[in-house]
Amino acid sequence: MRPPKTIVRSTAIAVGAIYAAILYGSGFRFGPGVKVALAYLPTLLIIGVVAFDLWVWKWPGVIQLAGRPSIGGTWCAVIYPHPDSKIPKDGNRGPIQATVVIEQTYWTMAIRLISGESTSVSTSASIRPDGGSRVQRVLTFTYQNVPKYINRPRSRPHLGTANLSVVGLKPRSLSGSYWTDRLTLGDLNLSLLSRGVDYVATENAPSRTTSETE
């Protein structure tokens, strides 16, 4: 799968070339109808690009051509810290219940993990092929974790990275591992709760703020 930025650049170049060819071939002498059409063409193209980024790429048939998994939504997560993690004596050794909210368009992705003790926000995220597989990909994201103040004495803010296996174009479960700069590591399992992103976390489980959307 080609990087999204490569697709954007290629599309922009192609559209620009076509538009220039139309202007050149017409000799810049247009009838009233053609002038109106050309005036609206850039706007229509922009609307088309925005619609594709937000919705069209997930449509049946289109998603197969786009080749980008749709993982946006709210996920129930369970974190399993490894026994070798450098966890303070009074720290949480798991399993830890959390909520993961993934906001995704074709070209962008933002990930939030909320537990009863802290919140993690992604600083970068990408989906790439897993080796030569046609159906399996890897979601990699780096994040910044900010514990609640009450937990700061035993859990300091830190940076981390997670790798999750993504199988299929509309998976309902994700699994993988994580590691952090405070020398902790472990496994992470996600189960899809909703395709909506209007959920917030309670102490141990997600609660819905508005209607669920699948």
Side-chain angles (χ1 to χ4, degrees):
M1 182 174 61
R2 297 194 310 175
K5 64 180 182 181
T6 302
I7 298 175
V8 174
R9 291 171 182 170
S10 301
T11 302
I13 292 172
V15 171
I18 293 172
Y19 197 74
I22 292 174
L23 293 177
Y24 180 83
S26 65
F28 299 97
R29 291 186 293 272
F30 309 124
V34 177
K35 288 182 179 179
V36 172
L38 290 176
Y40 281 105
L41 180 58
T43 300
L44 294 175
L45 290 174
I46 291 173
I47 293 174
V49 169
V50 172
F52 178 83
D53 184 38
L54 295 178
W55 306 295
V56 177
W57 69 275
K58 294 183 286 188
W59 292 356
V62 180
I63 192 171
Q64 282 78 12
L65 294 175
R68 187 168 180 80
S70 175
I71 60 172
T74 301
W75 302 73
C76 292
V78 184
I79 303 169
Y80 300 93
H82 192 275
D84 291 339
S85 294
K86 303 299 182 181
I87 300 174
K89 186 176 180 179
D90 57 345
N92 190 345
R93 297 183 176 274
I96 302 170
Q97 303 292 327
T99 302
V100 174
V101 179
I102 302 177
E103 298 180 54
Q104 182 190 25
T105 72
Y106 186 81
W107 287 296
T108 66
M109 186 158 37
I111 301 173
R112 302 193 313 277
L113 185 150
I114 311 102
S115 72
E117 298 185 355
S118 65
T119 298
S120 297
V121 180
S122 64
T123 55
S124 66
S126 65
I127 298 178
R128 57 179 173 80
D130 187 5
S133 176
R134 295 183 179 181
V135 297
Q136 186 160 326
R137 297 167 179 81
V138 176
L139 167 65
T140 299
F141 63 95
T142 58
Y143 60 88
Q144 181 175 19
N145 177 274
V146 181
K148 293 180 179 179
Y149 279 104
I150 194 173
N151 298 317
R152 296 290 176 90
R154 62 176 176 81
S155 180
R156 64 178 176 82
H158 60 275
L159 302 176
T161 300
N163 279 341
L164 299 178
S165 178
V166 181
V167 180
L169 293 175
K170 288 191 175 183
R172 301 189 67 86
S173 63
L174 305 172
S175 63
S177 59
Y178 72 92
W179 57 96
T180 76
D181 65 353
R182 63 177 183 178
L183 303 181
T184 57
L185 70 162
D187 297 315
L188 178 62
N189 294 335
L190 275 63
S191 299
L192 184 65
L193 176 66
S194 168
R195 290 293 179 184
V197 293
D198 54 349
Y199 280 68
V200 295
T202 60
E203 285 298 305
N204 294 306
S207 62
R208 190 170 57 189
T209 58
T210 58
S211 59
E212 178 175 336
T213 56
E214 279 291 343

